[in-house]
Amino acid sequence: MTTRDLSRREYLRAMTAAGLATIAGGEPRLRASEQVQHPKPTADTVILLWMAGGMGAPDTFDPKRYTKFEVGVPVDKILSTFPVIDTVVDNIKFTEGLEHIAKVIDRGTLIRSHVVADLGNILHSRHQYHWHTGYVPPQTVACPHIGAWMARVLGPRNPAIPAFINIGQRLEGHGESEELKAFTTGGFFGTEYGPFNLPFPNDAVEAVKPPKGMTPERFAARHAKYKDLLKASPVGELASDYHHDSMLKSVENAHRLLTSKERDAFDITKEPKASYDEYNTGRFGLGCLLARRLAESGARFIEVTTEYVPFLHWDTHENGHATYTRMKKEIDRPIAQLVLDLEQRGMLDRTLVVLASEFSRDMMIEGVPGSKAQDQSLARADKLGEPKHYGLHRHFTGSGSVLMFGGGIKKGALYGETAAERPLVTTKNPVSIRDLHATIFHAMGVSPKTAFDVEKRPFYATEDGKGVPVRELFAKEK
């Protein structure tokens, strides 16, 4: 058994214990504090575009010296495997394959100095948990996803539409699904604040159709039976009254959606063909289309993911260059179209679009310089011998790129810098997960010091309430 396998087992044991402790706990109470002053919101909705698996900045939004593939080239000389392209902003360059996003970056800000913690054993599950909750696992309770914080603190924009929607990630049927469930949750807030999961955008409408013949009377009978089954189940026996009621409310919320006119937003086949085709690069592209429709209908927080499956998509341990060529085709056009559509509909100013990933990648370094993290490349070589060697195959935590559009964020701006030569660490204006979350909360009008009492101790929106919004990212109020 490998160190990685042991780490995963330890992670799952800790997450299971935290989950059991959470459902046995009572209602989290909002902590009143004179120090908490909520900022004026600049956004009403967040759309998180999640590049699951570790998107390498040097081959996407932070190009370095380009070296083309040739047999015999020393691997340690390679920083980027794609040539540089211009964008509509003079001092911002991308890499080849992102031409559509390059045309809309004048509507947003590029952060090149996102730094994530080096957690020793670099597991996607741990890093994704950290990014989505703001807390490094393990914790003694199940930490809520940032989307659950928005749902609990701000509530729904439209009572018929789930406040927190997760698009594109399967939570069953593939490796590490249990680890993903640990942070794709309402945590201690309860099931009613967790995500409405839609793994396949084309099938989203089926999730909001009542079963054939489901009359109000049959639903009432089934709901009563569900209450009995829940009460008799192991979860029902362990859960506190608060979490028991939260599970029931989540079912009631789902039923309300089934009978609402807003459910049409879930049917992307009703989109005009030209628009549908513009987004249709695959599941992620159609997920962006679904996110736009749901934002229009009143969703509060929407995550669209390229989906994390080990060794697929952005999780490149070999053949990195070829994989990035494919991934760019999947994300480039729909992301740009999402920004343009929101702008055309007058929604971009109040919708914060964030593109991020759990960490970046490097050709040589695992973690950061000096890290003891195990090398996880499957294409180790001193010199390029075949195409599978060509690409960024090691997890890198010393820097990364984040895009932000709308929601009060500056237009056409560049924030932070990274080194020009390896190690490609952040050299100016580092932005941690804690401060990035504080920035997102700030845009949504939530103080990063917001806290709830959980297990007789305060639990904050950002770790220990110490997140500081990066105010330089916001446009000045007129």
Side-chain angles (χ1 to χ4, degrees):
M1 185 176 293
T2 66
T3 302
R4 185 173 183 272
D5 291 332
L6 285 171
S7 297
R8 282 189 59 205
R9 285 192 175 189
E10 291 167 357
Y11 174 82
L12 284 172
R13 279 198 295 268
M15 294 301 100
T16 300
L20 291 172
T22 295
I23 64 171
E27 180 180 1
R29 299 284 185 179
L30 182 64
R31 169 172 283 218
S33 172
E34 295 179 359
Q35 296 178 344
V36 175
Q37 293 184 341
H38 295 294
K40 180 181 178 181
T42 58
D44 304 311
T45 304
V46 175
I47 299 176
L48 172 61
L49 306 175
W50 185 246
M51 305 293 105
M55 179 193 71
D59 268 352
T60 52
F61 300 107
D62 191 7
K64 302 299 179 183
R65 185 183 66 252
Y66 164 63
T67 304
K68 68 179 182 179
F69 176 83
E70 288 183 359
V71 173
V73 170
V75 170
D76 63 2
K77 301 297 182 185
I78 300 172
L79 300 180
S80 293
T81 71
F82 289 87
V84 175
I85 63 168
D86 291 329
T87 75
V88 291
V89 180
D90 289 342
N91 65 327
I92 297 178
K93 310 294 181 184
F94 290 169
T95 61
E96 185 180 70
L98 296 169
E99 286 79 8
H100 288 85
I101 303 176
K103 293 177 182 177
V104 299
I105 191 58
D106 58 339
R107 278 85 162 177
T109 288
L110 168 60
I111 302 170
R112 283 194 172 141
S113 51
H114 185 38
V115 178
V116 303
D118 190 324
L119 303 181
N121 285 312
I122 296 181
L123 299 176
H124 289 275
S125 50
R126 291 192 75 208
H127 281 271
Q128 291 193 69
Y129 187 104
H130 185 199
W131 202 100
H132 285 89
T133 69
Y135 286 81
V136 175
Q139 296 286 324
T140 57
V141 295
C143 302
H145 187 292
I146 187 175
W149 275 94
M150 300 298 179
R152 174 63 180 83
V153 176
L154 297 175
R157 289 176 55 222
N158 179 341
I161 295 288
F164 173 19
I165 300 174
N166 189 46
I167 302 172
Q169 180 66 58
R170 289 169 291 172
L171 294 174
E172 302 290 350
H174 69 274
E176 298 194 20
S177 58
E178 293 303 316
E179 291 91 330
L180 296 175
K181 291 176 186 176
F183 63 83
T184 311
T185 173
F188 56 71
F189 286 138
T191 306
E192 65 186 296
Y193 299 107
F196 190 83
N197 291 309
L198 300 168
F200 295 95
N202 262 335
D203 297 337
V205 66
E206 299 300 321
V208 294
K209 282 184 179 178
K212 191 174 181 179
M214 181 58 67
T215 63
E217 292 76 19
R218 287 190 69 190
F219 176 81
R222 287 193 178 188
H223 196 218
K225 186 64 175 176
Y226 174 73
K227 287 181 180 180
D228 292 339
L229 291 172
L230 178 60
K231 191 173 183 179
S233 71
V235 172
E237 291 177 2
L238 290 170
S240 65
D241 289 344
Y242 171 77
H243 283 282
H244 186 275
D245 290 344
S246 183
M247 293 177 200
L248 295 176
K249 286 177 182 176
S250 68
V251 175
E252 292 164 4
N253 291 341
H255 182 252
R256 183 167 61 248
L257 174 59
L258 297 184
T259 57
S260 73
K261 62 179 176 33
E262 284 87 353
R263 71 183 190 185
D264 279 355
F266 292 78
D267 189 355
I268 60 176
T269 64
K270 293 188 175 182
E271 188 76 10
K273 185 178 185 303
S275 176
Y276 183 96
D277 290 345
E278 197 67 29
Y279 281 97
N280 189 16
T281 59
R283 278 171 63 201
F284 177 80
L286 293 177
C288 289
L289 171 58
L290 179 58
R292 193 215 75 210
R293 292 174 63 88
L294 294 173
E296 286 181 276
S297 294
R300 176 71 71 184
F301 186 101
I302 308 163
E303 178 170 343
V304 186
T305 175
T306 53
E307 188 177 47
Y308 176 64
V309 178
F311 307 113
L312 288 177
H313 312 314
W314 294 114
D315 189 17
T316 51
H317 294 254
E318 61 183 350
N319 291 311
H321 180 81
T323 301
Y324 273 45
T325 300
R326 171 176 62 83
M327 292 304 299
K328 288 177 177 182
K329 289 178 181 178
E330 291 184 18
I331 73 165
D332 183 42
R333 196 173 75 229
I335 290 174
Q337 193 62 42
L338 174 63
V339 172
L340 292 172
D341 277 2
L342 291 172
E343 182 181 61
Q344 181 185 29
R345 287 162 169 76
M347 295 172 60
L348 188 59
D349 286 347
R350 300 296 299 183
T351 304
L352 179 63
V353 180
V354 180
L355 180 150
S357 189
E358 64 262 41
F359 41 64
S360 182
R361 288 187 178 265
D362 185 81
M363 197 80 171
M364 301 295 298
I365 299 172
E366 189 84 34
V368 290
S371 173
K372 295 181 181 179
Q374 180 183 358
D375 184 356
Q376 297 186 45
S377 172
L378 299 178
R380 299 170 193 168
D382 294 328
K383 297 179 180 179
L384 295 179
E386 53 184 309
K388 77 172 185 178
H389 296 144
Y390 192 50
L392 310 183
H393 299 140
R394 291 167 174 88
H395 311 118
F396 188 69
T397 57
S399 66
S401 293
V402 173
L403 293 179
M404 302 183 84
F405 295 92
I409 296 298
K410 284 180 179 176
K411 297 180 179 181
L414 177 63
Y415 188 83
E417 293 179 3
T418 56
E421 296 291 334
R422 183 176 285 114
L424 303 176
V425 295
T426 291
T427 56
K428 182 180 179 182
N429 294 332
V431 179
S432 65
I433 290 175
R434 186 167 62 187
D435 291 347
L436 184 62
H437 277 203
T439 303
I440 295 170
F441 279 119
H442 185 86
M444 294 292 283
V446 178
S447 168
K449 296 181 182 295
T450 302
F452 286 77
D453 283 324
V454 181
E455 291 188 340
K456 298 181 180 180
R457 68 181 178 93
F459 201 101
Y460 296 89
T462 60
E463 189 178 13
D464 298 327
K466 295 181 179 178
V468 178
V470 184
R471 296 181 185 274
E472 295 91 336
L473 297 176
F474 289 91
K476 293 181 179 179
E477 293 186 8
K478 295 180 180 179

